[in-house]
Amino acid sequence: MTDPAAAPEGRLTTRQAAELLGVKPATVYAYVSRGLLASRREPTGRGSTFDAAEVSALARRTRREAATPPGELTVRTGLTLIEADRYWFRGVDAVALASRHRYEEVAEWLWTGRLPRGARFTAPPELLAAARRAVAALPEHSGPVDRLRVATAAAAAADPLRFDLSPEAVLGTARSLIPTLVEALPAAGQEHRGEGRLARRLWTRLTALPPDTDPVGALDLALALLTDHDLAASTLAVRVAASAHAHPYACVSAGLGALDGPLHGAAGPLAHRMLLEVMERGGAAPVVADHLRSGRRVPGLGHRLYAGEDPRATALFARLADLPQAGPALAAARDVVAVTARQGRGLHANVDLALSVLTVSYGMPVEAGETVFAVARTAGWIAHVLEEYGERPLRMRPSGQYVGPRPPQPLP
């Protein structure tokens, strides 16, 4: 097959594309068959052409991947940067953004790079009905991640368009899935069906106390602060699923599965229980001593990415300090930090401790922090899904280092 003498404006011939990519023309068509490039047959019938911008983007990706040391997986992302005890969403200070904008607006910023004022998420009736039926069928002792995972699967089954992976479709899924997850949870207080800010609707799933403006604002801040945090274990699981072009519901399910592990999602309930015990015993010293004596870590302290205090905790503590009802739990949290500091352990408060002040202060169940974290992080997972769909499919396929017996071995 020969190239036409010239390609239409903004298009490249097969030969031009091969030169830009540094490969043979036959390899260009191999890229087409693998879904890495889209070709267009020209009306003259003399060959195919390729979008110049798409070829250039693939060339840049290929050069970056070639420069990666063998065996090392790197994940390029333009979403969250963590550096010098601060973190940024798309280059904007994340704490400042979360302090000034609602969770829905922060989610839109991560998804699209735009900040629409007054963004609202609405649960479609068909998806919500399916999710509620599935959640209602679970045993009463089911945990929040159990409910969210089942609600996600039920919503996926009710959505015939779930396999549409175009950016517009994925955004539509995100804006409907998050409120579906919230409203599928059993109500603890007066329901707010499909209206108002998401934090207000989530509040009624976590506590029977009235959704007053200031505490709901603190919950909204927590959601916005927790939206994304680079490549945590659950986020990496999401990107692996997205790399295989699983639909967004399946990708979120992968994140929820990783979050359910004791090393990722269990910190919130542990910190909640510890604060209750500190308040009951009148001080943190005996509680901290019990944890250390039994060889357990003191929950809510330290973060591998921050040398000082977790900036999410700093922001949430500051908001909670303005709420009189949060006073006792906030004092208990500060006592925990002070006691461990006297022992020279050098650990600072993290967001799990700050979130536990909120959950303890307003009579929420011990798993409430886990629920808040999962709902908040769903927006970040979707942002990573959108990024990963734009990468080379199935790129997250490391090679195993075989350590078993060398073949041939006799049959057992």
Side-chain angles (χ1 to χ4, degrees):
M1 181 179 292
T2 59
D3 283 340
E9 186 175 356
R11 310 285 300 176
L12 299 177
T13 66
T14 303
R15 188 178 305 280
Q16 290 169 334
E19 291 174 354
L20 183 58
L21 290 166
V23 299
K24 297 179 179 179
T27 305
V28 175
Y29 289 103
Y31 287 157
V32 173
S33 66
R34 289 161 53 193
L36 301 180
L37 280 177
S39 64
R40 187 175 74 191
R41 186 78 178 178
E42 289 305 308
T44 60
R46 300 176 61 192
S48 299
T49 62
F50 304 84
D51 180 84
E54 185 180 26
V55 174
S56 296
L58 178 59
R60 288 194 297 271
R61 290 205 303 270
T62 304
R63 286 194 293 270
R64 285 195 297 262
E65 288 167 5
T68 301
E72 180 179 321
L73 174 65
T74 60
V75 179
R76 296 176 299 277
T77 176
L79 298 175
T80 300
L81 171 67
I82 302 174
E83 196 173 73
D85 283 352
R86 298 174 64 188
Y87 72 122
W88 290 262
F89 290 158
R90 291 187 179 273
V92 174
D93 185 284
V95 170
L97 188 71
S99 299
R100 292 168 173 79
H101 296 276
R102 294 181 176 181
Y103 167 70
E104 295 94 323
E105 295 167 346
V106 173
E108 292 282 352
W109 173 253
L110 276 174
W111 296 337
T112 67
R114 297 187 297 273
L115 198 63
R117 284 287 189 174
R120 292 287 184 271
F121 298 160
T122 302
E126 304 83 10
L127 270 62
L128 180 56
R132 281 182 165 170
R133 284 194 299 269
V135 170
L138 289 173
E140 189 174 344
H141 64 267
S142 300
V145 177
D146 295 325
R147 295 189 176 103
L148 294 172
R149 194 164 50 234
V150 166
T152 301
D159 184 0
L161 304 179
R162 62 187 179 277
F163 295 106
D164 185 346
L165 306 187
S166 65
E168 297 78 12
V170 174
L171 287 170
T173 296
R175 293 169 183 138
S176 63
L177 175 59
I178 295 174
T180 296
L181 296 181
V182 170
E183 295 183 43
L185 296 172
Q190 182 181 358
E191 285 198 62
H192 285 260
R193 293 177 178 270
E195 60 184 44
R197 61 205 291 189
L198 190 94
R200 189 177 182 88
R201 284 176 269 168
L202 180 58
W203 181 275
T204 64
R205 267 70 189 171
L206 300 176
T207 178
L209 294 177
D212 295 331
T213 301
D214 290 340
V216 169
L219 176 59
D220 203 342
L221 173 63
L223 288 167
L225 290 168
L226 290 166
T227 304
D228 190 47
H229 206 236
D230 197 30
L231 288 176
S234 57
T235 304
L236 182 58
V238 166
R239 292 198 75 130
V240 171
S243 178
H245 282 190
H247 58 69
Y249 299 93
C251 295
V252 169
S253 293
L256 289 169
L259 186 64
D260 208 18
L263 301 182
H264 191 15
L270 293 175
H272 181 107
R273 291 190 181 98
M274 179 189 66
L275 284 187
L276 288 175
E277 187 178 0
V278 169
M279 294 166 67
E280 179 183 348
R281 298 177 68 171
V287 178
V288 170
D290 286 348
H291 275 78
L292 298 179
R293 182 181 182 184
S294 61
R296 293 174 291 156
R297 289 183 55 193
V298 180
L301 297 179
H303 196 289
R304 62 190 299 266
L305 298 180
Y306 300 115
E309 186 170 83
D310 185 334
R312 300 168 297 176
T314 303
L316 194 50
F317 280 146
R319 181 69 62 89
L320 292 167
D322 295 329
L323 304 179
Q325 190 159 336
L330 185 57
R334 287 173 171 160
D335 194 17
V336 170
V337 174
V339 168
T340 55
R342 287 201 302 270
Q343 296 176 341
R345 294 178 62 82
L347 296 177
H348 302 271
N350 62 35
V351 72
D352 295 307
L353 187 63
L355 187 56
S356 295
V357 172
L358 175 65
T359 60
V360 167
S361 298
Y362 290 92
M364 298 180 188
V366 67
E367 306 91 355
E370 198 173 357
T371 305
V372 174
F373 187 98
V375 170
R377 192 54 56 87
T378 299
W381 292 337
I382 293 291
H384 283 272
V385 166
L386 286 163
E387 273 199 336
E388 191 59 39
Y389 284 163
E391 295 285 352
R392 175 171 55 85
L394 292 174
R395 70 193 180 103
M396 294 191 185
R397 175 58 171 88
S399 298
Q401 184 179 1
Y402 180 73
V403 295
R406 292 296 306 170
Q409 296 288 322
L411 289 174

